[in-house]
Amino acid sequence: MPSSSSSVANKPKRIVWLDYARALAILTVIICHSTEALYSFTLEGVARTSTVSQICEFTLFTIGRLGVPLFLFMTGYLMLDRQYDKNACIRFWKTKWCGLLLATEIWIVIYDLFLSIVNHTPLDPLMLLRNMLFLEKVAMGHMWYMPIIIGLYLFLPFIANGLKQLDDARLLKFPLGIMCLIVFLVPVISILFQCFGNNGFVSLIADGFSGGAYGCYLLIGYCVKKKLFEKSTTKALVVFGATSFVVTVALQMLAYEKMVLAPVWYNNGLLMVAGLCLFVLLSRLTVAKEPRAIWALSYYSFALYLVHFPVKMILSPLVAIWGLPNHLIAVLALSSIVLVVSLAICYLIGKIPVIGKRMLYLK
């Protein structure tokens, strides 16, 4: 979301394990939004459910939350280990940044039209303009990400050149380590403080030059590319990743039990560690060939991100009234249907001459 994808003609040059990572990332994003659609994440809603149901709810939700970290790690992995001269910078802004902005603006218009139809309200031109100028959030739960990645992309060539000039990722250990404590550890401690009757808090140290939590994800992805984690054993990664995942789920359950509204977000250090361990493990995959399904999910991953949310909004009320045995089965059913329908829509849009690939930012 976006990370670099090759065209069909360049398929032999693709990095197979990254295709698996993209495929997994978009699947988890769809699971996340399907979980939000069918489970209640209000304090009262969670309190009414059993412990087993809460475990399923927060496990599915945490699995879903791994998608964005994977996408951000991939962006840093692919795009920060490059040299950008003047022409490369201009080319990057013309093709990638402007292309991303164009696709975003097209979908803002589509989303506002969609919302006016489903809500039976007239289209508000002023609100549409505010949405397109990024002065107001689009009322679609996944669109928070687009202003983030557009902002990060703007100065990405300069960050890459700075890293290339130093050419030693180990130098990042000190500043990145400090910043990770600030942007990832402080929020976890704040939640724990709130759980035990204290006020929450935030760090006052400026994180602007790091890009905040999202910039740190990119820089960590770059560190993976530069093999800073190569000495970590597979067993250690599995143990640390699984432990971080389980504790992330447990922390959410504790927070809701203590009446603290704290669904996991991307500044949660436990989630970041779980995602990082998963990403490093994926980087060690030695797969010579990939199934067509994995290639398709990878190629259309960003397109699926754009398309799936309105599809989910249409289908979730239908799945909710099917009378399936439990929410877990309902989430899996909804996720599967949304994936298939969205993939078909992406394929059809991609076939529109001239504009199709631009709409979906297909590369």
Side-chain angles (χ1 to χ4, degrees), residues 228-241:
L228 259 62
F229 300 95
E230 65 178 349
K231 293 183 179 179
S232 302
T233 65
T234 298
K235 181 179 179 181
L237 290 168
V238 171
V239 170
F240 274 102

Side-chain angles (χ1 to χ4, degrees), residues 55-128:
I55 291 173
C56 290
E57 176 177 1
F58 289 114
T59 297
L60 285 169
F61 187 61
T62 306
I63 289 172
R65 283 293 197 231
L66 290 171
V68 166
L70 287 176
F71 277 121
L72 290 173
F73 287 141
M74 281 185 277
T75 299
Y77 184 98
L78 288 165
M79 302 185 72
L80 288 181
D81 188 27
R82 298 182 184 182
Q83 184 73 44
Y84 294 84
D85 58 18
K86 178 181 177 180
N87 290 333
C89 282
I90 294 172
R91 187 165 56 250
F92 176 85
W93 289 320
K94 280 185 176 180
T95 57
K96 293 190 177 295
W97 192 84
C98 289
L100 183 61
L101 180 63
L102 175 62
T104 302
E105 297 289 13
I106 291 171
W107 283 93
I108 287 174
V109 174
I110 292 172
Y111 293 148
D112 277 22
L113 288 169
F114 171 81
L115 290 169
S116 72
I117 293 170
V118 298
N119 294 328
H120 306 289
T121 57
L123 180 67
D124 184 344
L126 182 59
M127 179 58 71
L128 174 60

Side-chain angles (χ1 to χ4, degrees), residues 24 32-33 39 71 74 79 109 121 167 190 208 236 240 242 254 322 334 345:
L24 180 60
C32 178
H33 294 145
Y39 279 98
F71 277 121
M74 281 185 277
M79 302 185 72
V109 174
T121 57
D167 202 29
S190 178
F240 274 102
L254 172 65
W322 282 358
L334 177 60
I345 293 172

Side-chain angles (χ1 to χ4, degrees), residues 17-272:
W17 75 264
L18 281 173
D19 280 355
Y20 276 86
R22 288 190 198 92
L24 180 60
I26 192 58
L27 288 175
T28 58
V29 167
I30 292 173
I31 289 172
C32 178
H33 294 145
S34 297
T35 302
E36 288 180 309
L38 296 176
Y39 279 98
S40 171
F41 282 87
T42 64
L43 293 174
E44 297 77 12
V46 173
R48 288 195 299 266
T49 61
S50 67
T51 300
V52 172
S53 181
Q54 289 181 30
I55 291 173
C56 290
E57 176 177 1
F58 289 114
T59 297
L60 285 169
F61 187 61
T62 306
I63 289 172
R65 283 293 197 231
L66 290 171
V68 166
L70 287 176
F71 277 121
L72 290 173
F73 287 141
M74 281 185 277
T75 299
Y77 184 98
L78 288 165
M79 302 185 72
L80 288 181
D81 188 27
R82 298 182 184 182
Q83 184 73 44
Y84 294 84
D85 58 18
K86 178 181 177 180
N87 290 333
C89 282
I90 294 172
R91 187 165 56 250
F92 176 85
W93 289 320
K94 280 185 176 180
T95 57
K96 293 190 177 295
W97 192 84
C98 289
L100 183 61
L101 180 63
L102 175 62
T104 302
E105 297 289 13
I106 291 171
W107 283 93
I108 287 174
V109 174
I110 292 172
Y111 293 148
D112 277 22
L113 288 169
F114 171 81
L115 290 169
S116 72
I117 293 170
V118 298
N119 294 328
H120 306 289
T121 57
L123 180 67
D124 184 344
L126 182 59
M127 179 58 71
L128 174 60
L129 179 62
R130 290 175 64 86
N131 290 155
M132 295 183 71
L133 293 175
F134 302 102
L135 301 176
E136 192 85 33
K137 292 181 180 179
V138 181
M140 304 286 276
H142 68 309
M143 277 298 285
W144 66 271
Y145 181 83
M146 299 313 301
I148 298 293
I149 201 67
I150 286 170
L152 288 173
Y153 263 38
L154 197 56
F155 285 92
L156 190 145
F158 297 103
I159 303 301
N161 281 349
L163 294 171
K164 203 70 174 178
Q165 184 69 30
L166 295 171
D167 202 29
D168 189 348
R170 292 173 297 178
L171 290 170
L172 276 173
K173 287 182 178 180
F174 174 69
L176 185 56
I178 296 295
M179 194 50 61
C180 283
L181 291 176
I182 293 168
V183 301
F184 292 122
L185 183 58
V186 169
V188 174
I189 297 175
S190 178
I191 292 172
L192 288 172
F193 267 62
Q194 293 176 70
C195 287
F196 294 100
N198 300 295
N199 293 326
F201 50 81
V202 296
S203 173
L204 298 179
I205 296 178
D207 59 11
F209 275 102
S210 70
Y214 308 112
C216 286
Y217 278 111
L218 267 62
L219 290 169
I220 293 170
Y222 167 81
C223 290
V224 175
K225 178 67 175 291
K226 303 304 284 187
K227 303 187 182 302
L228 259 62
F229 300 95
E230 65 178 349
K231 293 183 179 179
S232 302
T233 65
T234 298
K235 181 179 179 181
L237 290 168
V238 171
V239 170
F240 274 102
T243 302
S244 298
F245 181 89
V246 170
V247 178
T248 304
V249 173
L251 179 61
Q252 292 172 92
M253 294 181 66
L254 172 65
Y256 276 82
E257 181 185 342
K258 299 294 184 180
M259 302 305 290
V260 176
L261 188 63
V264 67
W265 190 249
Y266 304 108
N267 62 351
N268 185 302
L270 295 165
L271 180 74
M272 185 276 287

Side-chain angles (χ1 to χ4, degrees), residues 292-313:
R292 180 72 179 180
I294 296 297
W295 174 86
L297 287 173
S298 173
Y299 180 66
Y300 289 108
S301 57
F302 183 62
L304 285 167
Y305 187 82
L306 294 170
V307 169
H308 84 280
F309 203 88
V311 174
K312 182 269 302 182
M313 289 177 64

